[in-house]
């Protein structure tokens, strides 16, 4: 109970006791945790903490330590491990959110340890089946999707490729605009963003790829803001994993994302910028590597005038409070996209921003001045590509004059 309480000292002491129990008799400890998780009379927060504690017994951020934890779990008698799995899996459809969310983490972590060792080969199949069969239980579908998502995010693609078709079928079905539960669509989209890592065989089939891209596009136009953001996360994954397959979709994606950036909520606009930043990043890397086997397809060059125009516009949308602690805003996302686009196309971008610098570097509005100064700062990057830097001499002088004038008058 103390591990779930609000007293930091009590929680710390309880955690120490749990650690000692883990080291003293690991099989007995996981048996006790499983019993507590399954105890319908126990308080829900306690059952949730027990689930997360069980997950933590199998998880470490340190790779070497993770290997140790894997070995410890796999050394437990197979009968005991199976009894734990058999007891936990049905709780993914528990009527209690606290139980479902905790168990989703525990089951996923057990799966991440056991699937590579072929100790739980049917886990992904069972999750997919549960997602498809629990049509009338939105809470259960969300938890099953979360569990599947945790696995897709971390698993070595080699251990999931054979399941890609079944996984994508369940996910895409849950993402469709006909799905009445917004949270189900969002969670399914989050799973897709991770599952695309091992779906090459599907994405290389035009009809399957077209359908997946259609579902993502529908998500971008959904009423729910979280769904729109999640759909752009899927697009980011497509750009990272399947850049070479994007060509036919670029015009439509640019039209949709432009509308998002200009008219949607700021967080969704940031997500749209992230997609184009990923495309630009890939092209910048290819331009630098100059590998004939993986040439840049120059998507950014094809829309350079438009993408520079919208990034420059959004560079001036800084928060009036100018509080860096507020986090990543649309102007930051625009600046990153512009920087990465410059790396993708090289010196030609200078001509597209020169007039903006000249028009705004000494302007009355601080938003314009700051945006122009940011572009000017990028000059030191662009000059690596430029054959001549004379085109930027006047903006530089304008910046220095503005700085000197501010110092004199303040």
């Amino acid at each position: 109970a103390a591990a779930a309480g609000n007293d930091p000292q009590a929680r710390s002491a309880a955690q120490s006791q749990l650690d000692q129990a883990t080291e003293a008799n690991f099989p007995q400890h996981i048996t006790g945790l499983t019993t507590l998780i399954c105890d319908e009379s126990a308080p829900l927060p306690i059952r949730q903490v027990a689930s997360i504690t069980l997950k933590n017994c199998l998880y470490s951020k340190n790779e070497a330590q993770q290997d140790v934890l894997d070995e410890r779990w796999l050394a437990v008698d197979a009968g005991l491990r199976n009894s734990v799995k058999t007891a936990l899996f049905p709780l993914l459809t528990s009527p209690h959110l606290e139980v479902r969310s905790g168990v989703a983490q525990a089951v996923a972590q057990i799966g991440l340890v056991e699937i590579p060792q072929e100790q739980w080969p049917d886990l992904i199949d069972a999750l997919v089946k549960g997602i498809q069969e629990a049509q009338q239980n939105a809470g259960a579908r969300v938890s099953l999707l979360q569990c599947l998502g945790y696995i897709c995010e971390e698993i070595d693609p080699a251990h999931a490729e054979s399941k890609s078709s079944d996984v994508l079928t369940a996910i895409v079905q849950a993402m469709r605009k006909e799905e009445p539960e917004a949270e189900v669509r969002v969670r399914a989209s989050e799973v897709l963003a991770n599952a695309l890592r091992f779906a090459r065989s599907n994405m290389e089939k035009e009809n399957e790829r077209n359908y997946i891209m259609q579902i993502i596009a529908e998500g971008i136009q959904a009423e729910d803001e979280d769904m729109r953001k999640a759909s752009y996360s899927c697009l980011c994954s497509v750009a990272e994993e399947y850049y070479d397959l994007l060509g036919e979709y670029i015009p439509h994606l640019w039209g949709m994302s432009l509308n998002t950036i200009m008219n949607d909520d700021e967080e969704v606009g940031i997500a749209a910028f992230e997609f184009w930043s990923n495309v630009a990043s890939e092209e910048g890397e290819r331009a630098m590597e100059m590998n004939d086997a993986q040439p840049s397809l120059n998507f950014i060059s094809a829309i350079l005038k438009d993408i520079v125009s919208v990034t420059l516009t959004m560079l001036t949308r800084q928060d009036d409070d100018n509080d860096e602690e507020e986090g990543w805003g649309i102007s930051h996302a625009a600046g990153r996209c512009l920087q990465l686009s410059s790396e993708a196309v090289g010196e030609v971008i200078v001509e597209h921003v020169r007039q903006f610098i000249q028009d705004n570097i000494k302007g009355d509005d601080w938003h314009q001045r700051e945006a122009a100064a940011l572009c000017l700062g990028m000059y030191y990057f662009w000059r690596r590509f430029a054959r001549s830097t004379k085109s930027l001499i006047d903006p530089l002088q304008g910046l220095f004059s503005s700085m000197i004038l501010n110092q004199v008058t303040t």
Side-chain angles (χ1 to χ4, degrees), residues 45-120:
I46 300 300
R47 297 174 70 188
Q48 184 177 30
V49 168
S51 299
I52 295 172
T53 300
L54 178 58
K55 182 267 292 185
N56 288 341
C57 289
L58 284 80
Y59 172 75
S60 174
K61 294 180 180 179
N62 181 278
E63 185 174 347
Q65 179 63 18
Q66 183 64 60
D67 291 339
V68 172
L69 298 182
D70 290 355
E71 292 176 3
R72 183 175 67 179
W73 172 259
L74 294 169
V76 173
D77 176 74
L80 175 55
R81 286 190 282 115
N82 289 335
S83 68
V84 171
K85 294 182 291 186
T86 301
L88 292 184
F89 191 86
L91 294 179
L92 289 169
T93 60
S94 165
H96 306 296
L97 172 61
E98 297 90 340
V99 174
R100 294 196 310 270
S101 62
V103 168
Q105 296 179 56
V107 168
Q109 191 57 42
I110 294 173
L112 287 169
V113 175
E114 293 203 349
I115 290 173
Q117 306 300 323
E118 299 184 353
Q119 297 294 302
W120 202 352

Side-chain angles (χ1 to χ4, degrees), residues 369 402-410:
R369 289 198 309 273
S402 177
M403 291 173 63
I404 293 172
L405 179 60
N406 286 340
Q407 288 180 344
V408 170
T409 57
T410 56

Side-chain angles (χ1 to χ4, degrees), residues 89 92 107-108 115 122-133 143-145 147-149 151 170:
F89 191 86
L92 289 169
V107 168
I115 290 173
D122 60 346
L123 173 58
I124 292 177
D125 296 331
L127 290 168
V128 166
K129 183 180 179 181
I131 293 166
Q132 293 173 325
E133 292 184 348
S143 297
L144 289 159
L145 283 164
C147 186
L148 181 60
I151 294 172

Side-chain angles (χ1 to χ4, degrees), residues 197-269:
R197 296 187 305 121
F198 53 83
R200 179 160 294 278
S201 63
N202 305 93
M203 290 295 288
E204 288 181 344
K205 297 174 184 175
E206 184 177 5
N207 61 329
E208 294 188 32
R209 182 174 70 250
N210 285 342
Y211 187 59
I212 290 170
M213 295 298 287
Q214 175 190 329
I215 294 297
I216 294 173
E218 290 176 357
I220 287 173
Q221 301 171 68
E223 293 184 7
D224 185 80
E225 178 181 342
D226 288 336
M227 182 62 190
R228 299 196 299 275
K229 288 191 295 184
S231 298
Y232 273 113
S233 293
C234 293
L235 277 187
C236 287
S237 295
V238 173
E240 291 172 1
E241 302 290 340
Y242 307 105
Y243 167 84
D244 293 300
L245 300 176
L246 275 174
E248 63 184 297
Y249 310 105
I250 288 295
H252 185 53
L253 292 176
W254 172 246
M256 285 197 306
S257 55
L258 177 61
N259 180 63
T260 295
I261 291 167
M262 300 302 295
N263 302 308
D264 209 329
D265 294 328
E266 180 173 6
E267 289 191 11
V268 188

Side-chain angles (χ1 to χ4, degrees), residues 30 87 128 178 188 201 208 284 321 348 399:
I30 59 176
V128 166
E178 290 81 11
S201 63
E208 294 188 32
D321 293 334
V348 297
L399 173 61

